Amino acid sequence: MSRASSERKSTSSHCRVQVTEVPVEPERHAGGDADPDPDNDSISSDSAALAALGYKQEFKRAFTPFETLSLSFTTIGLFPSIATVLVFALPNGGPVALVWGWAICTFFLLFVALALAELGSAAPTSGGLYYWTWDLSSARWRRVLAWLVGYTNSMGLIAGFASLDWGCAVQIMAAASIGSDGGFVPTTANTFAVFVALICVQGFLSSMATPILARLQGMYAALNVLLPVAVIIALPAATPKEFRNTASYVFSGFENLNGWPDGFAFVLSFLAPLFVIAGFDSPVHISEESHNARTAVPLAITGAVATGGVLGWIVMVVIAFCMGSDIESILANPIGQPMATILVNSFGRDGTLAVWSVIVFVQFLMGANALMVASRQLFAFARDRAAPFSRFIYRVNRRTGTPVNAVWCCAFVALLLGLLVFAGPATYSAIFGVALLGQYTAFSIPMAARFLGGKKWRPGPFTLGRFGLPVASLAVLWMVFSTVILTFPTSPSPDKNTMNYTVVVYCGWVGLCLLYYYLPVYGGARWFDGPQRTVDETDSPSLAGASPDDVGQRKGSPSLDEKQAA
């Protein structure tokens, strides 16, 4: 038996093949020399590793490692995200929340990123989180857990996309209010119309060919770096003396406006950095379009979180120095956007509109990337016949080479989520919350399954070694803690308009998923059998080094159509 096949081990008749290396015979020219092009070698190796996981290569691998990192950082969208969620930090600690709340959250989110990166390096595939759950969980629990992770991850990504676009629509309306000197007061219907227009434009953008999407990432990343750097330089220079704060106020001043005890108010301020440094699993979902995915994906995850955390902390410190000390007036300003109010106080109307136009554009780009990432997760879930209308969703457009049907399905579901805003202002926060709860559920289960599922772990090139268990444990505990604070209302005595409905929406979604799974006759418990094999022995050189047992165990996994026919 070859070394490659001895390194593979299947765990049951429908289990995945885990690999540490997949040897690929280099392509040779007519003269017998090996192909000197390293890109071709990289693509062959990536496709071989994907085939060893059971999937054929269906997308063009066009994302370089730098573009994969750019995608991850752009999805975080540092300054536009800060502008959107500043309202969660200012009333729950003021400058202390901005500075120290951000620092604490970034520290613990790095543990989440490291644990996620290690999983992504071991088995990079578009459906990564539910795939890992299936692969690492015990035979008793893996079907329902993989099902739950697949649905919560899909909904979390789509809700994240919806929240980004709603935030972008709110920012556009804030610009209109600033431009009219407060004369224009947008209604919910006005904002929703802009929200729908954004989704439609981003749907077309995210349906473009992979090479185009990959090349755009460099520009996206440049804007996401230059914008906060420009603010860091320009805001202190432009802020009048009456709005400048002392170092003592910035690093120790505390403002509590919502009525919670000071300690708990500070904890609730964590919502701001949690909402900003999110969606960093995006490299996992485009791993089937990335070069050197087993190294590019983990470096993109950790690099984006580290860079966003450090640069974001500097931005928060600058804001704290330049926002003035009357936080109540910032929150009550008719503009309706705390960050916009701070910029107006420093730059004036025209300067703010110039900066705000860039913020809106960058947030739009974030939404486009978020839609692209969500579509890859949904495509992967449909490929394994787990999503409704899987036959329709699991299609690659012949012209663009991208999952266009999946893109528009995600866009449609996001539009439906957006309708929740008509139920009241509290539902806007609920959309944010569902995105994070779905993300943390999908992150936590495979991290825990790695150590509790009883399966042998074969790491990829990026490995934490003996630190894997303590890092993953801290990551899961932090996400459980974050999940709890995400469910609290803004004040101790909420009414129907200030209540936090995140837990209602999230539990409703999870309940529907489990109902679909356990539904008599038609439920997933009757036919869902994990990831389905799409590659044959002749499709990829990766199978040349695999034993017949390795190949046969995946090949025998019946598809949903076969099970339903039976």
Side-chain angles (χ1 to χ4, degrees):
M1 182 181 293
S2 67
R3 183 174 68 89
S5 61
S6 66
E7 289 180 344
R8 301 181 181 88
K9 183 178 181 182
S10 59
T11 54
S12 77
S13 61
H14 304 308
C15 186
R16 324 306 299 148
V17 179
Q18 294 181 321
V19 297
T20 53
E21 289 187 18
V22 182
V24 182
E25 186 68 23
E27 182 181 349
R28 298 187 175 275
H29 299 296
D33 295 330
D35 188 343
D37 187 349
D39 287 340
N40 287 341
D41 291 343
S42 169
I43 293 172
S44 297
S45 178
D46 283 324
S47 300
L50 183 63
L53 299 177
Y55 298 125
K56 64 183 178 181
Q57 185 68 50
E58 298 185 79
F59 300 131
K60 184 176 179 63
R61 289 191 180 268
F63 280 80
T64 65
F66 171 74
E67 288 162 346
T68 304
L69 171 61
S70 298
L71 170 77
S72 187
F73 184 69
T74 302
T75 304
I76 291 174
L78 193 61
F79 194 76
S81 295
I82 289 174
T84 301
V85 303
L86 208 58
V87 67
F88 294 106
L90 288 177
N92 290 308
V96 165
L98 295 181
V99 176
W100 301 118
W102 183 280
I104 292 171
C105 276
T106 297
F107 175 77
F108 286 104
L109 285 171
L110 280 171
F111 287 96
V112 179
L114 287 168
L116 187 69
E118 189 174 35
L119 290 169
S121 180
T125 174
S126 294
L129 295 155
Y130 77 84
Y131 179 101
W132 307 332
T133 301
W134 173 271
D135 196 35
L136 298 171
S137 299
S138 66
R140 178 181 179 183
W141 294 105
R142 65 181 182 178
R143 294 177 67 195
V144 65
L145 289 178
W147 177 276
L148 180 62
V149 168
Y151 273 100
T152 55
N153 191 205
S154 299
M155 180 50 67
L157 290 169
I158 295 172
F161 161 61
S163 64
L164 283 172
D165 270 17
W166 183 256
C168 188
V170 170
Q171 290 172 350
I172 292 173
M173 293 295 99
S177 179
I178 295 170
S180 65
D181 292 324
F184 173 70
V185 179
T187 65
T188 300
N190 296 147
T191 309
F192 184 78
V194 175
F195 171 77
V196 173
L198 290 171
I199 287 179
C200 292
V201 175
Q202 289 164 337
F204 286 107
L205 181 60
S206 299
S207 299
M208 298 173 73
T210 298
I212 298 175
L213 295 172
R215 299 299 89 81
L216 287 172
Q217 299 308 313
M219 183 265 288
Y220 292 1
L223 286 172
N224 270 281
V225 172
L226 292 175
L227 177 58
V229 169
V231 171
I232 289 169
I233 296 171
L235 191 60
T239 301
K241 284 187 177 181
E242 61 266 28
F243 292 110
R244 295 179 185 174
N245 295 318
T246 64
S248 175
Y249 179 78
V250 168
F251 294 104
S252 61
F254 193 89
E255 301 278 351
N256 183 358
L257 305 179
N258 284 338
W260 290 104
D262 287 352
F264 191 69
F266 178 69
V267 169
L268 289 180
S269 75
F270 292 172
L271 293 176
L274 289 176
F275 284 136
V276 173
I277 306 178
F280 48 84
D281 60 325
S282 54
V284 173
H285 301 295
I286 57 103
S287 60
E288 294 180 26
E289 298 162 80
S290 301
H291 289 279
N292 299 315
R294 302 180 76 212
T295 55
V297 167
L299 293 179
I301 294 171
T302 54
V305 173
T307 304
V310 173
L311 189 57
W313 186 80
I314 297 172
V315 170
M316 287 297 199
V317 171
V318 170
I319 292 173
F321 267 109
C322 302
M323 66 182 181
S325 58
D326 190 355
I327 293 179
E328 288 189 74
S329 67
I330 294 173
L331 295 170
N333 192 284
I335 294 174
Q337 242 285 351
M339 190 70 244
T341 301
I342 293 170
L343 294 179
V344 168
N345 291 340
S346 297
F347 295 130
R349 190 191 72 169
D350 293 342
T352 298
L353 286 175
V355 174
W356 205 253
S357 63
V358 180
I359 293 174
V360 169
F361 181 61
V362 173
Q363 177 111 349
F364 170 81
L365 300 180
M366 290 168 56
N369 269 353
L371 177 56
M372 177 180 66
V373 169
S375 70
R376 273 40 173 191
Q377 158 61 23
L378 185 61
F379 172 86
F381 210 37
R383 175 173 61 189
D384 292 323
R385 304 296 190 263
F389 311 108
S390 288
R391 286 177 178 236
F392 173 75
I393 297 171
Y394 176 44
R395 293 181 185 178
V396 177
N397 186 276
R398 293 182 180 179
R399 185 171 184 178
T400 66
T402 54
V404 173
N405 290 6
V407 168
W408 288 104
C409 284
C410 290
F412 178 70
V413 175
L415 191 150
L416 294 180
L417 279 175
L419 292 172
L420 290 174
V421 300
F422 289 102
T427 55
Y428 173 43
S429 296
I431 297 174
F432 266 111
V434 167
L436 272 184
L437 287 179
Q439 173 179 280
Y440 288 159
T441 302
F443 287 6
S444 299
I445 291 176
M447 288 180 191
R450 178 192 157 184
F451 298 99
L452 301 177
K455 301 294 182 65
K456 185 175 181 179
W457 166 252
R458 294 189 180 276
F462 181 93
T463 176
L464 300 175
R466 62 183 179 178
F467 296 104
L469 176 58
V471 167
S473 299
L474 276 173
V476 172
L477 288 173
W478 174 254
M479 287 187 285
V480 171
F481 169 74
S482 300
T483 297
V484 173
I485 65 174
L486 280 166
T487 63
F488 276 83
T490 56
S491 63
S493 302
D495 57 26
K496 65 178 182 180
N497 293 321
T498 59
M499 183 61 189
N500 187 343
Y501 294 99
T502 297
V503 67
V504 177
V505 177
Y506 175 74
C507 289
W509 171 250
V510 171
L512 287 174
C513 293
L514 294 177
L515 178 64
Y516 183 27
Y517 182 79
Y518 288 109
L519 190 69
V521 182
Y522 300 104
R526 304 293 186 274
W527 47 261
F528 177 64
D529 203 18
Q532 301 295 300
R533 182 177 183 80
T534 64
V535 68
D536 295 325
E537 293 91 330
T538 58
D539 286 341
S540 173
S542 71
L543 296 177
S547 69
D549 290 340
D550 289 335
V551 174
Q553 286 181 351
R554 283 292 312 278
K555 185 177 180 181
S557 181
S559 68
L560 168 61
D561 295 335
E562 291 170 339
K563 293 169 192 168
Q564 289 181 331

